[in-house]
């Protein structure tokens, strides 16, 4: 897996912005956006799922590249607006929200998707005669871990397809116009099959019972490589499989202007970022080698939460005599035994003081980071297309830890 940061750039960045630090590549981010804008023969319009990364500077770039956005909370809507997204470019895919949260979106002219009958009832009560989207559960799920599979029988998301008659009753009761139908089967799959099968299920449902919708949104989940040798979701295969399904649907559907959307989060941002950190200690405990770093699970939760794999590169720079070779456990500085970035991994020779790089860290990393153990969240910097380096978020300071106390 090729890094976009060389040792001297890494050293320069860490000198100026501290350690650990998130480093993004504008070039890679724009490439991914452009790829998505032209993928699928232009038949699936991409909305960036902002939960993957909400850095304002990155959102502005993504908006410039023409992606729309989906959001999961008023806070995400707030940031999208600050980044320049217009209400019509934002879709609020809500899950178990209060009337106030729905009202927040309605007041701004942002379309809301509801994902249960009771939430549809709640929506009808506060926005009678309005427009709405409904999220169904297509009965199929996929993803890298059961915690992120959102379709199928064992998830809280979406309305079970068989409840379509109840949906119709509520739409009529509150005189709601159903403008869109959406789903999301889960996050990080590398095979196109389940996505296409779920799309077919949803389209069959729409064709049979919901005439006149403006759009059908199949969700995100497109996988990227995290491991050396892994390949990304094959867009050509997905296009070849989904195109006839979409064409066939349009042929039989009453609204010929119906369009199709997808909601990639990870695919847009994951590969555009690495975390740089430092090796702070090396030790052996009961025949296990531990490489201690300043990258705890306050910075990157994915390994402790999902057992996720991120490539780790040793960039060098260490001057200590202590060298460790062979399989090691790469660990952070948080007071829990689960604070492990990599188990039993061969990362080559490593010394105290070395700079290490955690790759593919643009999605669900900063956005899931925390101040646990009162650790300060790192800075984020962007390597621009012209090679210049700018700060796009300050590192936390101790004042941030005091901020909300009375
Ligand atoms: N649409 C909806 C309704 C979603 O819930 C999600 C992600 C997406 C789109 C975007 O999925 P993506 O293209 O990024 O896979 N924290 C986990 C991933 C959680 C995904 C949550 N929903 C991780 O680090 O792997």
């Amino acid at each position: 897996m090729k890094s976009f940061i060389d040792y001297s750039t890494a050293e320069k960045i860490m000198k100026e912005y501290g350690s650990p630090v998130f480093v993004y590549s504008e070039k890679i981010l724009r490439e991914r956006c452009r790829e998505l804008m032209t993928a699928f023969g232009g038949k699936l319009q991409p909305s960036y799922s902002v939960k993957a990364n909400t850095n304002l500077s990155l959102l502005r770039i993504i908006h410039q590249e023409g992606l729309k956005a989906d959001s999961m909370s008023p806070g995400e809507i707030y940031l999208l607006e600050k980044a320049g997204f217009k209400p019509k470019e934002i879709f609020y895919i809500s899950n178990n929200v209060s009337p106030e949260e729905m009202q927040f979106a309605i007041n701004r002219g942002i379309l809301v998707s509801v994902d249960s009958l009771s939430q549809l009832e709640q929506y009808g009560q506060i926005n009678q005669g309005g427009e709405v989207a409904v999220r169904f559960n297509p009965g199929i799920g996929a993803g890298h871990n059961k915690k992120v599979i959102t379709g199928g029988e064992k998830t809280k998301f979406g309305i079970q397809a068989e409840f379509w008659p109840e949906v119709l009753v509520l739409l009529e009761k509150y005189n709601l116009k159903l403008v869109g139908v959406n789903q999301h089967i889960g996050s990080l799959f590398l095979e196109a099959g389940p996505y296409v099968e779920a799309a077919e299920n949803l389209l069959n449902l729409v064709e049979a019972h919901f005439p006149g919708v403006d759009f059908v949104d199949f969700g995100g989940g497109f996988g990227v490589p995290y491991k050396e040798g892994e390949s990304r979701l094959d867009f050509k295969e997905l296009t070849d499989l989904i195109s006839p399904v979409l064409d066939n649907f349009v042929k039989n559907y009453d609204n010929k202007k119906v369009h199709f959307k997808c909601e990639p989060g990870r695919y847009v941002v994951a590969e555009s970022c690495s975390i740089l950190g430092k090796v702070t200690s090396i030790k052996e405990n009961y025949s296990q080698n531990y490489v201690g770093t300043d990258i705890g699970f306050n910075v990157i939760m994915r390994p402790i939460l999902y057992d996720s794999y991120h490539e780790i590169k040793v960039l060098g720079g260490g001057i200590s005599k202590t060298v460790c070779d062979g399989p090691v456990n790469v660990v952070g500085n948080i007071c829990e035994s689960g604070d492990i970035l990599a188990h039993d991994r061969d990362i080559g020779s490593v010394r105290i003081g070395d700079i290490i790089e955690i790759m593919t860290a643009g999605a669900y990393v900063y956005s899931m980071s925390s101040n646990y153990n009162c650790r300060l969240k790192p800075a984020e910097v962007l390597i621009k297309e012209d090679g210049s380096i700018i700060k796009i978020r300050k590192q936390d300071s101790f004042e941030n830890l005091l901020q909300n106390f009375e």
Side-chain angles (χ1 to χ4, degrees), residues 28-29 32-33 36 48 62 67 264-270 272:
I28 297 175
L29 179 61
R32 290 292 167 268
C33 291
L36 279 160
Y48 169 55
I62 294 165
L67 278 81
R266 186 187 314 272
Y267 199 91
V268 180
V269 283
S272 69

Side-chain angles (χ1 to χ4, degrees), residues 11 65 110 150 153 165 167 193 224 242 272 292 314 325 348 369 393:
E11 199 192 18
E65 291 295 336
I110 291 171
T150 47
E153 288 179 14
V167 171
V224 301
I242 210 165
S272 69
V314 180
D325 285 301
S369 67
R393 174 151 27 197

Side-chain angles (χ1 to χ4, degrees), residues 117 120-121 159-173 210:
L117 294 172
L120 183 56
E121 179 102 48
I159 298 178
Q160 193 182 326
E162 287 77 7
F163 295 146
W164 63 264
E166 285 85 346
V167 171
L168 284 177
V169 168
L170 286 169
L171 292 173
E172 192 169 330
K173 178 170 170 193
F210 299 104

Side-chain angles (χ1 to χ4, degrees), residues 49 51 70 93 135 144 148 184 187-188 220-222 263-266 302 306 364 368:
S49 189
K51 58 184 79 69
D70 85 56
I93 302 181
R135 176 170 176 174
H144 69 87
V148 300
H184 172 69
S187 191
L188 209 178
F222 308 153
E263 300 160 1
R266 186 187 314 272
R302 300 192 71 254
Y306 315 113
Y364 306 106
M368 293 174 72

Side-chain angles (χ1 to χ4, degrees), residues 17 63 75 129 169 192 293:
Y17 302 103
H63 187 231
V169 168
T293 74

